[in-house]
Amino acid sequence: MEYVLKNGIVYDPANKVAGEKKDVMFKDGKIVDSVSADAKVLDVTDKIVMPAGIDPHAHVAGPKLVVGRIYRPEDSRKGVTHKTDILRSESGFSIPSCPSTGYRYSRMGYGTVVEAAVPPLEAKHTHEEINSTPNLDIVPLSLFGNNWFVLQYAKQNQIEDLAGFIAAWLRLAKCYGVKIVNPCGSEAWGWGMNVHGLDDPAPYWDVTGREVVTALAKANEMLGLPHSVHVHPNDLGHPGNYPTTVSTMEALKDIEKNSTVRGQTMHLTHAQFHAYGGTSWRDADSGADYIADYVNNNDHVTIDVGQVTLDETTTMTADAPMEFDLYKLSGLKWANKDVELETAAGIVPVIYSGKAPVNSLQWAIGLELFLKVNDPWKVCLTTDHPNAGPFIRYPRIISWLMSNERRQEMMDNREVHPWSHRRTSLASLEREYDFNEIATITRAGPAKIYGFQDRGALTPGFNADIAVFDINPNDIDPSRNHEAIEKGFSSAMYTIKDGEILVKDGEIVKVVKSHTLWTDVKGMEEQEKRVMDRVMPDFTKYYTIKFENYQVHDKYLPNPIVTEVQAGK
Amino acid sequence: MKTITFNQKKTSQIALEFDELIPDEVYSWEKADFEKYMVPIGNSRFPLTDYFDIEVEGSAESPEEIKMILNGDYGRVKYIGTKMGAGEIIVNGPVDLHCGSQMKGGSILVNGDAESYAGREMEGGSLTIMGNTREFCGCSYIGDWRGMNGGTITIHGNAGKQLGECLSGGSIYVKGDCDILAGIHMTKGFIQIDGDVTRWPGGQMKNGDIVINGELGRLLEGFVQQEIVENPEIDGKDFSGKYIKYTGDIALNGKGRLWLDAEKNRHLLY
Ligand SMILES: [Zn+2]
């Protein structure tokens, strides 16, 4: 089937197309540069056309989502809709059901989302949830930062064996890349403790976060994975944590990049949660300048923000000691999910309120990061869904980024507490994003950061993953009209995935199966064998399940998209 | 005034859901509108008139002017009066789950028993149950920590477990007996139980008052006996006789007050 999207205003930053009126053509699921006269014409005159959205960091599938959904029935009852002829019923606000997750991303013009924290032990279940989430390609990252085998290799500085371990474990868990969460801290939680800073060793291990992050980053580059290490540093959410964040970035500065498809050797995730000054919540202020300056002056780091949306939401992270602190602060309920030998997660509901000084400060710090990082290719739009707010708020964040007037209005009329401007420089930042920059932080940038070679751009041969929004960029002043921007980006006029129209005028018209992206490393066979020989005795001794039941068999990925990389190349 | 009368024709094994049939929604409806209406049952909808004959008399400009009289057995009809803001509903028979849940105003009178979750998350208005009710009357939604915060519930019969769980405002009166954990997690508000209570009222309460005029089986360890008070004033209301006053739950540094009739609860005095 051939199609022409006719007369749209196209934003395709990867191809340096910034608001040109032109046709976009696709055939048999791929973008093409010409079609026959029989092609079906979709009139999108003066509407925004972009590649489909790519969310570089969210939590949408896996064990902690399940715990969250089970222990927050009060969230599940929000957003309930009846089933229709093609849709299942929806439920949930911050932790929507799997089908709702797929539908809602699809309605916003998204086509791909990264599930940022898969414990290998729970990978099977994560893939089952991915298979229940329609209309979205999902990119799982595997957790390595507190894995006992990784701690061992890092301690002994055996980078080649660590690389072999990563190659083997990505294949076992069918994951795309390496995620690190509070390195050594989640292991310390096994003893009811945390680590503080990059040089505080995990109890009984005598290995530090610095050693773990550095070793994993070196191994990641030895393999030449399409994505860099994806780092949630130590001290998340603690006042005065920005020096830890800067030291973590600095620790990876000299690691040599071994990839032609991405620019960075480290992706710092939900930077907002890692950009706090002060010594306690009493005197906390913004550390956004330090983070933004570092990112502006160094090319080895990219970030996503983790913007607070001022909603009641659910926090969930493989940073269990942090969640315990949060539980003690909030007094609400708490769930803990330990994953033997690998990680530990916590789940706590949070009400981010514009009346609360701390939440308003967090809101402002996130926006500062967006506005202070000069190069939009280095920063991505996320809420660390659902941690800082649900992903359905992305259009609202876009409206804040495009309108200084709206930001000032929120501060002036006290929709946010005065800490938002007294303790940050947000009030002085007049920058407003344009549509091309929005397309960069939601599409082209994330695609580059993940080394995607089939999406995130309207390049001939790429997947026909396209979003059209009912916004005429030549006829709207986003600065004045934030509501229309939010509305326009909430409900795509068309969402097209692999050449199929999934959404029309904000409604799902077709439901398709998701793809799962994972990375198959070649050329490490010898090291992998050595590693397996070495870890199997410990595996058998310490894990409560058998290895045969641990690995994710192919049948768990009915629609895989495999990225093959040749290690070292 | 407009009076809307439902006379039951048949019952259903699977519960009907009445949350769309509140005065706020139906005040302008005529008989023909009810005849068109499809009521949710399970995962489908069926004509309301398969189950009820409906009479409409008079006229109304607003929900305040509505009186709904529901005759028959509503033991398999859920969500009667859910989220209602005004008007009056009288049920001459028993009701199923969630009657008066999230109601904001107006009144509901049930001349019969009510199933669990009656008055859940109530914000205002009054709910009167002439018979018994079951678990979680005047509580939060399951999983939530925010319960009833306004209005009045009166139960003339007995109440089940976790009455007024997470209560943060409003008043609950039980004329009969009450099962375990009344007022668990409550932070504010008032509960009065005239009959006997099995055990553990006020678990993890932080504030508010619970008065028990009958006999209490067992008290939680987190309550500290303070004094015996004669004719106390509690939550702005005058009580006569002697009451043993406790405070708790000390497990949460709670400042809640538990008042037990001193005569009936001598066994707890030390
Ligand atoms: Zn995250």
Side-chain angles (χ1 to χ4, degrees):
Chain A
M1 195 67 185
E2 297 176 285
Y3 288 92
V4 188
L5 285 163
K6 197 110 194 112
N7 284 329
I9 314 275
V10 178
Y11 294 89
D12 181 12
N15 289 309
K16 301 198 164 51
V17 177
E20 281 172 41
K21 186 170 237 183
K22 60 184 279 198
D23 298 344
V24 173
M25 290 160 276
F26 55 98
K27 182 183 175 182
D28 300 332
K30 302 285 179 196
I31 307 277
V32 292
D33 43 23
S34 67
V35 284
S36 72
D38 300 336
K40 192 169 175 197
V41 175
L42 303 172
D43 179 11
V44 294
T45 303
D46 293 332
K47 310 294 183 194
I48 289 181
V49 177
M50 292 179 175
I54 297 173
D55 185 341
H57 184 112
H59 303 274
V60 292
K64 57 193 188 308
L65 275 293
V66 176
V67 174
R69 291 187 194 109
I70 290 171
Y71 108 130
R72 289 211 70 193
E74 78 279 9
D75 187 84
S76 292
R77 73 167 158 163
K78 296 178 194 164
V80 172
T81 61
H82 285 281
K83 68 170 181 154
T84 69
D85 289 342
I86 58 164
L87 303 184
R88 297 178 58 177
S89 67
E90 294 181 43
S91 68
F93 175 71
S94 66
I95 22 178
S97 66
C98 295
S100 316
T101 301
Y103 304 154
R104 291 176 194 176
Y105 268 111
S106 207
R107 289 190 191 106
M108 296 194 309
Y110 272 69
T112 305
V113 56
V114 174
E115 160 48 57
V118 182
L121 179 61
E122 309 266 11
K124 269 186 182 172
H125 175 71
T126 307
H127 287 291
E128 285 174 327
E129 288 212 336
I130 289 172
N131 295 335
S132 311
T133 307
N135 287 17
L136 264 187
D137 289 351
I138 298 184
V139 186
L141 301 182
S142 184
L143 289 161
F144 284 101
N146 292 276
N147 183 296
W148 284 11
F149 301 117
V150 172
L151 298 185
Q152 192 69 28
Y153 289 125
K155 182 175 167 174
Q156 294 165 350
N157 199 28
Q158 292 172 323
I159 305 304
E160 198 177 317
D161 282 8
L162 178 57
F165 179 82
I166 292 170
W169 248 247
L170 288 179
R171 188 174 307 109
L172 280 174
K174 300 285 187 292
C175 285
Y176 187 83
V178 175
K179 172 77 181 298
I180 304 167
V181 174
N182 188 5
C184 297
S186 303
E187 166 55 25
W189 179 242
W191 304 96
M193 296 155 71
N194 196 355
V195 298
H196 301 284
L198 202 51
D199 296 304
D200 188 7
Y204 305 101
W205 274 100
D206 193 26
V207 64
T208 63
R210 182 186 300 279
E211 290 167 315
V212 170
V213 175
T214 313
L216 282 167
K218 284 180 184 164
N220 196 98
E221 296 311 314
M222 183 177 280
L223 296 173
L225 297 180
H227 185 43
S228 64
V229 285
H230 191 104
V231 186
H232 154 160
N234 306 102
D235 297 332
L236 179 144
H238 291 279
N241 63 5
Y242 77 81
T244 300
T245 314
V246 171
S247 325
T248 307
M249 295 188 282
E250 188 65 14
L252 303 187
K253 187 175 182 174
D254 296 326
I255 288 172
E256 205 180 324
K257 178 169 71 105
N258 171 27
S259 171
T260 52
V261 292
R262 58 173 151 89
Q264 86 285 6
T265 50
M266 168 183 172
H267 181 76
L268 166 66
T269 190
H270 37 69
Q272 176 274 129
F273 286 124
H274 302 278
Y276 303 151
T279 58
S280 73
W281 282 122
R282 251 177 259 272
D283 66 359
D285 59 10
S286 173
D289 266 335
Y290 300 97
I291 307 298
D293 283 351
Y294 192 92
V295 173
N296 286 335
N297 291 314
N298 291 279
D299 285 333
H300 70 289
V301 187
T302 54
I303 68 168
D304 67 82
V305 168
Q307 174 64 36
V308 164
T309 64
L310 304 173
D311 285 291
E312 178 180 325
T313 188
T314 311
T315 62
M316 48 177 63
T317 162
D319 190 341
M322 186 286 297
E323 288 284 1
F324 185 72
D325 293 344
L326 189 60
Y327 159 62
K328 285 292 172 189
L329 273 174
S330 73
L332 300 179
K333 54 189 173 176
W334 168 60
N336 186 66
K337 179 92 176 74
D338 190 68
V339 181
E340 59 194 37
L341 280 72
E342 294 180 0
T343 184
I347 301 133
V348 175
V350 167
I351 304 167
Y352 290 106
S353 162
K355 293 197 179 72
V358 169
N359 300 157
S360 304
L361 175 64
Q362 293 174 306
W363 171 83
I365 290 172
L367 292 173
E368 277 189 296
L369 287 168
F370 277 117
L371 300 169
K372 286 184 168 179
V373 172
N374 300 325
D375 180 357
W377 288 87
K378 286 184 170 179
V379 59
C380 309
L381 171 54
T382 64
T383 59
D384 188 18
H385 163 85
N387 286 295
F391 65 81
I392 51 170
R393 293 289 190 239
Y394 293 170
R396 184 168 297 172
I397 298 170
I398 291 172
S399 78
W400 293 335
L401 295 177
M402 297 190 86
S403 173
N404 179 37
E405 194 172 303
R406 175 62 186 141
R407 300 193 297 263
Q408 302 297 338
E409 177 186 75
M410 289 178 74
M411 291 185 273
D412 290 346
N413 67 16
R414 294 234 175 186
E415 285 176 63
V416 286
H417 186 275
W419 276 25
S420 58
H421 51 90
R422 287 198 197 130
R423 297 191 178 202
T424 78
S425 57
L426 182 61
S428 69
L429 299 174
E430 291 175 359
R431 180 176 168 194
E432 293 179 333
Y433 272 58
D434 60 27
F435 288 111
N436 201 51
E437 290 172 315
I438 294 297
T440 308
I441 64 168
T442 55
R443 280 129 169 107
K448 177 95 199 284
I449 288 166
Y450 278 90
F452 293 144
Q453 298 296 296
D454 62 354
R455 64 194 68 208
L458 303 174
T459 311
F462 274 38
N463 299 340
D465 290 4
I466 309 164
V468 181
F469 298 103
D470 187 6
I471 298 171
N472 179 349
N474 300 321
D475 190 35
I476 189 171
D477 179 358
S479 188
R480 293 273 151 81
N481 210 339
H482 66 93
E483 278 162 352
I485 292 293
E486 181 177 350
K487 187 160 170 274
F489 280 109
S490 294
S491 153
M493 185 176 169
Y494 288 107
T495 303
I496 295 159
K497 180 98 194 67
D498 297 314
E500 293 195 87
I501 298 171
L502 304 184
V503 172
K504 189 168 185 314
D505 300 326
E507 299 292 334
I508 310 258
V509 293
K510 183 159 192 183
V511 176
V512 295
K513 288 277 182 195
S514 294
H515 296 98
T516 315
L517 281 71
W518 71 278
T519 306
D520 191 6
V521 181
K522 303 290 185 193
M524 293 296 282
E525 292 73 17
E526 213 175 285
Q527 291 88 337
E528 285 185 51
K529 187 175 177 315
R530 190 164 73 222
V531 162
M532 292 313 289
D533 289 345
R534 178 167 160 196
V535 303
M536 279 317 288
D538 283 339
F539 190 102
T540 312
K541 185 172 174 189
Y542 293 118
Y543 271 101
T544 54
I545 69 167
K546 288 226 161 70
F547 185 74
E548 263 309 300
N549 295 323
Y550 181 83
Q551 53 187 315
V552 176
H553 302 279
D554 289 344
K555 66 173 182 187
Y556 284 85
L557 285 83
N559 305 300
I561 294 177
V562 187
T563 303
E564 279 191 18
V565 298
Q566 196 66 34
K569 299 271 166 59
Chain B
M1 269 309 284
K2 183 190 267 187
T3 305
I4 302 164
T5 309
F6 283 45
N7 289 308
Q8 195 166 37
K9 286 157 71 174
K10 66 172 183 185
T11 56
S12 166
Q13 289 270 44
I14 299 172
L16 283 69
E17 294 176 19
F18 261 32
D19 46 322
E20 292 165 345
L21 296 172
I22 54 176
D24 313 64
E25 298 287 334
V26 303
Y27 69 89
S28 61
W29 288 21
E30 294 306 328
K31 192 175 162 94
D33 298 307
F34 287 100
E35 282 165 359
K36 274 189 299 200
Y37 179 72
M38 306 286 279
V39 64
I41 303 178
N43 65 0
S44 307
R45 284 176 180 260
F46 296 89
L48 181 64
T49 46
D50 285 0
Y51 295 88
F52 304 96
D53 281 326
I54 294 157
E55 297 303 328
V56 180
E57 279 171 53
S59 66
E61 298 284 302
S62 70
E64 284 82 9
E65 297 168 35
I66 291 292
K67 181 189 238 182
M68 296 178 71
I69 300 173
L70 312 182
N71 295 321
D73 177 359
Y74 292 75
R76 292 305 280 145
V77 179
K78 298 193 288 192
Y79 301 109
I80 292 173
T82 286
K83 294 187 182 169
M84 75 183 268
E88 187 181 358
I89 298 179
I90 298 168
V91 189
N92 292 313
V95 297
D96 204 352
L97 300 163
H98 306 289
C99 177
S101 56
Q102 295 172 277
M103 85 184 266
K104 294 170 180 61
S107 71
I108 301 177
L109 170 64
V110 179
N111 286 310
D113 293 341
E115 255 295 343
S116 299
Y117 290 104
R120 159 176 65 76
E121 299 174 287
M122 191 163 159
E123 293 173 30
S126 81
L127 169 63
T128 306
I129 297 159
M130 297 310 293
N132 302 320
T133 184
R134 302 242 292 199
E135 275 71 78
F136 304 113
C137 177
C139 72
S140 69
Y141 187 77
I142 189 159
D144 213 326
W145 54 90
R146 293 156 290 204
M148 167 174 174
N149 65 15
T152 304
I153 300 178
T154 308
I155 299 146
H156 286 263
N158 304 326
K161 298 179 176 84
Q162 303 209 22
L163 173 90
E165 175 254 11
C166 293
L167 187 73
S168 64
S171 306
I172 305 179
Y173 298 88
V174 181
K175 305 288 181 193
D177 299 337
C178 188
D179 205 342
I180 61 171
L181 294 169
I184 181 172
H185 289 137
M186 78 186 260
T187 53
K188 215 176 154 186
F190 176 81
I191 297 176
Q192 178 182 330
I193 301 158
D194 292 341
D196 298 338
V197 173
T198 47
R199 45 188 197 273
W200 307 328
Q204 304 211 330
M205 78 188 282
K206 285 197 178 146
N207 215 325
D209 290 283
I210 303 176
V211 179
I212 298 175
N213 287 323
E215 185 182 324
L216 174 61
R218 260 180 75 187
L219 184 68
L220 275 169
E221 289 71 11
F223 284 83
V224 181
Q225 199 170 306
Q226 301 292 347
E227 57 189 320
I228 293 187
V229 188
E230 214 169 329
N231 303 331
E233 188 195 310
I234 306 169
D235 195 44
K237 303 170 232 328
D238 291 327
F239 286 78
S240 60
K242 287 182 182 168
Y243 284 83
I244 318 170
K245 179 183 177 184
Y246 295 82
T247 56
D249 184 335
I250 56 171
L252 266 77
N253 249 331
K255 310 269 184 295
R257 294 159 303 275
L258 178 61
W259 309 80
L260 305 184
D261 182 286
E263 283 303 309
K264 298 218 172 92
N265 292 287
R266 273 168 204 273
H267 59 289
L268 294 171
L269 273 174
Y270 54 80

